[in-house]
Every structure is written in structure tokens, then in C-alpha cells.
Amino acid sequence: MPDAATADPIAQLLAGHSLTRQHLAGLSDPSLQAQAIAWLDGPAVAQRRILRLTLFPALIESMAGSDAVCLKGMTRGLADRGEELQHRWRAIRACLSDAGSSAEALQPWIDDYLGYLQRADEELLPMAARLLDETALDQLRHALG
């Protein structure tokens, strides 16, 4: 297994998103819910923060002119979506312990989160793999710890 210094940070982000998908799937299972909540309250938040504060600025810096303007719109949209998901998660999280909470109530949020992950994985992370130089990748590696 590669150490943190040589690990591909884009692959690490993709792997983290894969784990988030698994935890989203387990959120409605009472036997997996505590583990899913812990993931969504911890590593998933950290990954969104790394995207917003490290990856997105590095991507924008790697581009010039009108391409950068388009990329700013893409990254801003994804960052805003991540913030909205977090805001909605706080409300959902407060209701999860209620006996009346159900999978149907969670599903719209889960679907939106899956869409967020898909957009990041299919649009921005492949672009980052192509555009980021070694310095930017090192910064991303460091942010991922």
C-alpha cells in the first residue's frame, strides 16, 4: 500500500466518495446507522472541505482566461451544493433518532448527495487529474493527510 507521500490524491478522493456512497446506502439500516452517521459527520465533511478549500482553488489557478471563468462556475456550484447538503443533513440528523423517521424521508437527501458525488467524480476529479501540476497535487496530498 502506498504511503501518504506517494499516494494519488485524486484516487484517495474517489475512494472516499465510494465509502460515502456505502455509508449513504447503510443510513436507513438500523444496524449500520450509527456507523453511517459517524462517517457523514466526520470524514465526509472533511472531504467536502478539502474539495472546496484545496482542490477547487488549485483547479481554478491551473486554468486561464474564459476557461477559468467556466471552472469557477462549476466549482462554485459544487461547493454551494455541498453546503446545502450539509445544512439539510443537520436537520435530518436531528430527526434520525425519532421513531417516526423513515428511509422515505432520507431518500431525497441521499439522492441529492449521490448526485453531488457523481458530479465531482465524473466532471471535476478527472479534470483535476489532467490539469493539476505536482505542486498542487502535493498540496492536495497534504490536505488529505
Side-chain angles (χ1 to χ4, degrees), residues 24-41:
L24 288 169
L27 194 56
S28 59
D29 181 339
S31 68
L32 300 174
Q33 193 174 70
Q35 185 179 9
I37 290 170
W39 179 267
L40 294 169
D41 283 345

Side-chain angles (χ1 to χ4, degrees), residues 1 9 11 16 38 43 47 52 55-56 63 67 91 96 101 111 134-135 138 140 143 145:
M1 180 171 180
Q47 281 210 318
R52 189 179 75 246
L55 180 67
F56 295 169
M63 299 293 285
D67 289 336
L96 280 177
S101 67
D111 291 343
E134 199 54 43
T135 300
D138 284 342
L140 186 56

Side-chain angles (χ1 to χ4, degrees), residues 1-138:
M1 180 171 180
D3 64 22
T6 60
D8 175 2
I10 303 301
Q12 286 179 271
L13 287 168
L14 289 166
H17 288 175
S18 178
L19 287 170
T20 299
R21 283 182 186 87
Q22 291 173 17
H23 288 290
L24 288 169
L27 194 56
S28 59
D29 181 339
S31 68
L32 300 174
Q33 193 174 70
Q35 185 179 9
I37 290 170
W39 179 267
L40 294 169
D41 283 345
V45 171
Q47 281 210 318
R48 281 197 315 276
R49 187 177 307 118
I50 289 166
L51 289 177
R52 189 179 75 246
L53 299 177
T54 305
L55 180 67
F56 295 169
L59 266 172
I60 292 167
E61 188 174 310
S62 74
M63 299 293 285
S66 62
D67 289 336
V69 172
C70 177
L71 194 53
K72 283 180 186 179
M74 290 174 67
T75 58
R76 171 60 23 219
L78 204 53
D80 289 348
R81 186 62 159 178
E83 291 300 314
E84 178 208 352
L85 286 166
Q86 185 62 29
H87 176 73
R88 288 170 56 199
W89 170 244
R90 287 186 202 110
I92 290 168
R93 173 88 166 75
C95 296
L96 280 177
S97 60
D98 294 346
S101 67
S102 67
E104 293 82 30
L106 289 171
Q107 201 57 54
W109 179 81
I110 290 171
D111 291 343
D112 286 348
Y113 204 134
L114 290 170
Y116 166 87
L117 294 171
Q118 181 177 358
R119 188 167 173 214
D121 290 358
E122 292 178 2
E123 294 177 21
L124 288 175
L125 292 178
M127 188 183 310
R130 289 190 314 271
L131 296 176
L132 296 183
D133 63 17
E134 199 54 43
T135 300
L137 289 171
D138 284 342

